Amino acid sequence: DLHRVDRRQRQMCIRDRWSTLAAWILSILSIYTCLQVFGIMRSMSKRPISIDNGELKLRYGLFSESTILISNIEGIELSTKSVESDETTKKLSPLRDFESHNVVIRLKEEEVLFGLYGLTSNYKILALYVDKKEQFKKEIENALQQCV
């Protein structure tokens, strides 16, 4: 009888220690996850889309990026229509179909889209969301005229 009580006490002690350790591990992981989410959100505003030296640099925070030569742009259109889903059509957003787009860029030759963890994919049509879409289209068209 005494042996049974002693065994139960040892089991409860081990269970309590394990619960405390698990709680600490989960707390640390939660804090780390919050820091990661905060960093990703900040990266969205710190890595904007830009046009420099004849290149269009497209960035979606830390998730994806691509550089397109302005001379390689065949056309740009403002569109929210769904784009064909094939090997040469990509979205800048890693959320793909879960995030809408309002600009579609068509290229003369394929370019490379660099994603998270070094993943790459080629595209000739790129769909993306831009806050000031009309201004963005005018800037691309002006850059295209300067290339000609």
Side-chain angles (χ1 to χ4, degrees):
D1 222 17
L2 185 62
H3 181 66
R4 258 187 174 167
V5 172
D6 187 41
R7 195 167 114 215
R8 280 189 188 151
Q9 285 177 341
R10 277 188 277 146
Q11 286 176 343
M12 287 179 64
C13 184
I14 291 171
R15 198 175 317 141
D16 288 345
R17 284 186 197 158
W18 182 249
S19 296
T20 303
L21 178 64
W24 274 105
I25 290 171
L26 289 175
S27 296
I28 291 169
L29 285 174
S30 295
I31 292 168
Y32 180 72
T33 301
C34 287
L35 289 173
Q36 289 290 323
V37 169
F38 180 71
I40 288 168
M41 288 173 36
R42 294 229 343 131
S43 75
M44 299 294 277
S45 64
K46 299 294 181 186
R47 302 189 72 218
I49 294 172
S50 62
I51 301 173
D52 294 317
N53 301 321
E55 293 180 335
L56 171 62
K57 295 181 182 182
L58 300 168
R59 302 175 190 102
Y60 194 92
L62 298 173
F63 290 112
S64 59
E65 67 180 82
S66 185
T67 301
I68 302 171
L69 291 172
I70 297 293
S71 59
N72 190 24
I73 296 176
E74 185 177 300
I76 181 169
E77 64 181 272
L78 303 179
S79 173
T80 56
K81 295 177 188 173
S82 62
V83 290
E84 302 169 20
S85 189
D86 61 20
E87 290 181 18
T88 61
T89 303
K90 302 293 179 204
K91 283 194 166 191
L92 185 62
S93 168
L95 301 174
R96 307 287 182 242
D97 294 332
F98 295 110
E99 185 170 335
S100 64
H101 64 275
N102 60 4
V103 174
V104 177
I105 300 173
R106 299 183 190 285
L107 305 177
K108 297 172 188 170
E109 297 176 23
E110 284 188 350
E111 288 286 353
V112 179
L113 180 65
F114 296 95
L116 202 56
Y117 304 116
L119 297 174
T120 61
S121 58
N122 295 337
Y123 65 91
K124 279 189 81 171
I125 300 171
L126 186 67
L128 62 144
Y129 184 87
V130 179
D131 290 332
K132 299 177 181 177
K133 60 185 179 183
E134 289 87 9
Q135 179 183 346
F136 178 72
K137 183 178 180 188
K138 284 180 186 176
E139 288 183 27
I140 296 296
E141 289 171 343
N142 289 340
L144 280 168
Q145 287 176 354
Q146 292 174 0
C147 283
V148 175

